Amino acid sequence: MPLSFLPTENPKPRVMASKPKLFYFCGRGRMESIRWLLAAAGVEFEEEFIETTEQYEKLLKDGRLLFGQVPMVEIDGMELTQTRAILSYLAAKYNLYGKDLKERVRIDMYTDGTLDLMLMIAVAAFKPPAEKEESLALVVKKAKTRYFPVFEKILKDHGEDFLVGNKFSWADIQLLEAILMVEELDASVLSDFPLLKAFKTRISNIPTIKKFLQPGSQRKPPPDSHYVEVVRSILHF
Ligand code: HAG
């Protein structure tokens, strides 16, 4: 009777959990929030940058993009698309999605809001200069009058360190990402929001996020003309 713990002649290779693999352009766009969430969760990930039409068309031909779009994340044997679906899956997987349905829906509301704000910036990059400038000025105005006042009040009302359930969640990660992105447009944007200033410092010092904020991490720079040209040339628009 073979001893079950002895290796057989051809032991199966131990299948190590592979790292998530992100398929997107080499820029922020819709993938940046996914990079932030993985980094904040301390999860290493790989990236395949789509830099040619051929690469994109091969993904399409191979049926790897559900609606023919990126971001796509290869994880747990699946090829996930649709930014919010991916973010929700990751938040749940890494326990960053609240303790119950009521906390989860608040996290959904907050992250839908910060995603709306950040996508305005992503889209503005593709506008002609004058329009782009106007759009980005509108982003700062909306941040100051619509989004940041809401989060300042949430922090004031519950007096806790985090947005939901006094526990670090996806909502905190994405609000920090949005704050930093808007500060790139107007460094003084938090001047009327003292609690958000303290929040920014607190969350930026969480070790996994502090590491992601260091130069050389997989965090991407603001969209530049090269990024816009590459995306335009691949997506033909
Ligand atoms: C999601 C794409 C095409 N609902 C989806 O993931 O949330 C939308 C995904 C999406 O629109 N992806 C774009 O694949 C690329 S991402 N398009 C091909 O056939 O639909 C997008 C944003 O900054 C990024 O660069 C892209 C262009 C943005 C242009 C806006 C005018």
Side-chain angles (χ1 to χ4, degrees):
M1 169 71 97
L3 291 172
S4 61
F5 59 83
L6 286 182
T8 59
E9 294 77 58
N10 305 307
K12 281 195 174 57
R14 181 184 295 278
V15 178
M16 301 301 285
S18 56
K19 293 177 187 173
K21 190 168 184 181
L22 281 48
F23 294 75
Y24 197 69
F25 315 107
C26 187
R28 290 179 177 173
R30 293 173 184 270
M31 186 62 93
E32 192 70 355
S33 295
I34 294 166
R35 299 182 182 109
W36 268 84
L37 187 45
L38 285 165
V43 176
E44 289 187 358
F45 57 90
E46 294 172 349
E47 298 195 81
E48 177 165 318
F49 297 123
I50 302 172
E51 289 166 331
T52 66
T53 304
E54 291 69 31
Q55 274 178 285
Y56 178 64
E57 287 177 349
K58 179 160 182 4
L59 288 168
L60 289 175
K61 186 171 58 64
D62 293 349
R64 304 182 67 186
L65 306 178
L66 185 63
F67 298 115
Q69 296 174 318
V70 286
M72 187 267 277
V73 174
E74 202 178 70
I75 187 169
D76 299 337
M78 303 181 289
E79 292 182 326
L80 304 181
T81 58
Q82 293 302 323
T83 306
R84 276 205 58 84
I86 298 166
L87 288 163
S88 299
Y89 179 80
L90 296 175
K93 180 177 174 72
Y94 299 115
N95 194 26
L96 291 164
Y97 217 175
K99 71 175 184 312
D100 56 26
L101 263 181
K102 286 193 173 179
E103 289 193 351
R104 195 173 85 181
V105 75
R106 295 216 73 77
I107 291 168
D108 282 337
M109 287 164 63
Y110 301 165
T111 53
D112 259 18
T114 46
L115 210 54
D116 284 347
L117 185 61
M118 290 193 283
L119 280 181
M120 286 179 220
I121 299 173
V123 168
F126 292 84
K127 293 183 174 180
E131 255 187 83
K132 174 178 169 181
E133 194 151 335
E134 193 181 331
S135 299
L136 293 179
L138 181 61
V139 166
V140 173
K141 180 167 182 278
K142 284 202 172 178
K144 285 171 139 175
T145 58
R146 173 180 293 188
Y147 292 96
F148 291 175
V150 166
F151 292 113
E152 183 81 5
K153 183 175 185 307
I154 288 164
L155 292 171
K156 183 170 186 293
D157 288 352
H158 64 42
E160 294 165 347
D161 288 347
F162 304 107
L163 289 171
V164 178
N166 198 21
K167 182 172 178 286
F168 183 52
S169 79
W170 169 25
D172 301 303
I173 298 162
Q174 209 164 276
L175 175 56
L176 176 63
E177 181 191 3
I179 286 171
L180 296 177
M181 211 177 270
V182 178
E183 282 189 329
E184 287 171 345
L185 305 174
D186 173 354
S188 69
V189 73
L190 289 188
S191 52
D192 297 333
F193 305 105
L195 296 178
L196 282 181
K197 263 189 193 164
F199 172 90
K200 171 191 161 187
T201 304
R202 200 163 49 244
I203 305 300
S204 299
N205 282 314
I206 290 173
T208 51
I209 293 181
K210 190 169 187 173
K211 184 178 169 202
F212 189 57
L213 292 173
Q214 295 302 311
S217 79
Q218 290 167 292
R219 188 180 173 215
K220 298 299 179 279
D224 60 11
S225 53
H226 174 67
Y227 167 76
V228 169
E229 277 323 300
V230 168
V231 173
R232 280 192 189 285
S233 70
I234 294 168
L235 299 183
H236 306 309
F237 72 88

